[in-house]
Amino acid sequence: MQGGTVAVDVTLDGAMVSFADGEPLEAHREGAQWKKGRATHAGPWKTGEITGPIRDVYHAPILFVYGASDPALARANQEVARAFAQIRWGVRVKYPIMSDDEFFARGEPLANERALFVVGNAKSNRVVRELEDSFPIKIDGDAVLVGKQRIQGKELGAAFIRPNPKRADRYVVVVEGLDAPGTWRALSLPDLLPDFVVWDSAVAPARGQMILSAAMVRAAGFFESDWSLPAKVDDPLATAQRPAAKTEYDATPYLP
């Protein structure tokens, strides 16, 4: 917002901030004080259209890249990428989908014009390998590493959204499994997701649902404003008793 033809004084939390003629009316808070101008940050920051959560990626053009580097995971990665590239509820959208081999063979830049939705862990997807050093969540041996916390389980995997470390005004979404079953289990995730989620086989009842309901995840939450992990990432209800998941077979049969 631009100032008018005269100087402007603005009172913010009881303190006066003066703007000269034509000076942009922009201010930010540092501790208890308001200062003129936009806030600056050393690293990525949640701002503008890059704030998450995971489904926010669908508001932008997307390039889906599945990992084909590891033959044991290639099919799972491809099928999961194609599933996430489909928009439900009768909307037809065709997103470009390619393998990591095709991505680099075609000269696609990591600092891509489109948001990158990559499926596969660093072993199976070269795009993940190239970017993983900046990710706070990654596959590490037989576990998902969330910060310094190691999470193990059956059908284990993780998904998260971040600013692309090569282009901060574009998203990168990563969906990765410890193995093929962990990757396929991503198809059980509900529609409504936060910035990051780590799952195992206990997420199965959420398939096709809007929310977890009877399902459980191992960790989930929203990144802080600087895209760092929150202090607590565990699902607070992971050890609580959940209602049994209902299926079509639970309905009372029709009796004439």
Side-chain angles (χ1 to χ4, degrees), residues 28-250:
H28 66 280
R29 190 166 184 168
E30 293 183 6
Q33 293 185 328
W34 282 92
K35 295 188 176 181
K36 292 192 293 184
R38 294 186 180 184
T40 58
H41 308 285
W45 195 264
K46 286 191 173 185
T47 185
E49 298 179 352
I50 309 298
T51 59
I54 289 174
R55 291 286 176 181
D56 198 51
V57 72
Y58 290 101
H59 296 164
I62 311 172
L63 174 58
F64 284 81
V65 185
Y66 64 89
S69 302
D70 183 351
L73 293 173
R75 180 180 174 184
N77 291 344
Q78 183 181 33
E79 291 187 2
V80 170
R82 293 192 180 281
F84 274 97
Q86 293 178 348
I87 304 298
R88 296 194 295 175
W89 318 123
V91 177
R92 293 192 63 185
V93 178
K94 278 196 166 184
Y95 291 109
I97 304 173
M98 63 183 67
S99 70
D100 58 334
D101 292 336
E102 292 175 287
F103 181 89
F104 288 103
R106 292 172 58 163
E108 290 284 351
L110 292 171
N112 211 277
E113 187 69 27
R114 291 164 290 190
L116 297 179
F117 196 119
V118 292
V119 180
N121 57 35
K123 181 181 177 182
S124 65
N125 194 318
R126 185 180 162 191
V127 175
V128 177
R129 286 201 298 276
E130 295 285 343
L131 301 177
E132 190 176 56
D133 284 348
S134 67
F135 294 158
I137 299 172
K138 60 191 72 176
I139 301 294
D140 183 47
D142 63 348
V144 172
L145 191 63
V146 183
K148 295 182 179 180
Q149 181 177 345
R150 293 180 64 84
I151 299 176
Q152 296 174 302
K154 181 181 178 182
E155 300 178 11
L156 194 69
F160 55 90
I161 190 169
R162 308 278 300 168
N164 184 334
K166 300 296 185 181
R167 182 166 178 172
D169 63 339
R170 297 290 186 269
Y171 279 128
V172 59
V173 172
V174 177
V175 176
E176 56 185 354
L178 188 69
D179 49 21
T183 304
W184 268 311
R185 186 51 69 190
L187 301 181
S188 294
L189 290 171
D191 282 351
L192 298 182
L193 295 168
D195 291 348
F196 67 90
V197 59
V198 179
W199 65 82
D200 59 15
S201 57
V203 77
R207 184 178 177 94
Q209 305 299 312
M210 292 293 292
I211 59 175
L212 283 174
S213 184
M216 291 181 287
V217 295
R218 299 296 303 276
F222 295 91
F223 293 115
E224 302 290 354
S225 295
D226 62 355
W227 290 98
S228 63
L229 287 165
K232 188 172 181 58
V233 301
D234 297 325
D235 177 3
L237 299 178
T239 59
Q241 187 69 33
R242 302 286 185 93
K246 291 188 176 182
T247 70
E248 58 182 317
Y249 302 108
D250 294 322

Side-chain angles (χ1 to χ4, degrees), residues 10-17 29 31-34:
V10 179
T11 301
L12 299 171
D13 293 335
M16 184 77 72
V17 181
R29 190 166 184 168
Q33 293 185 328
W34 282 92

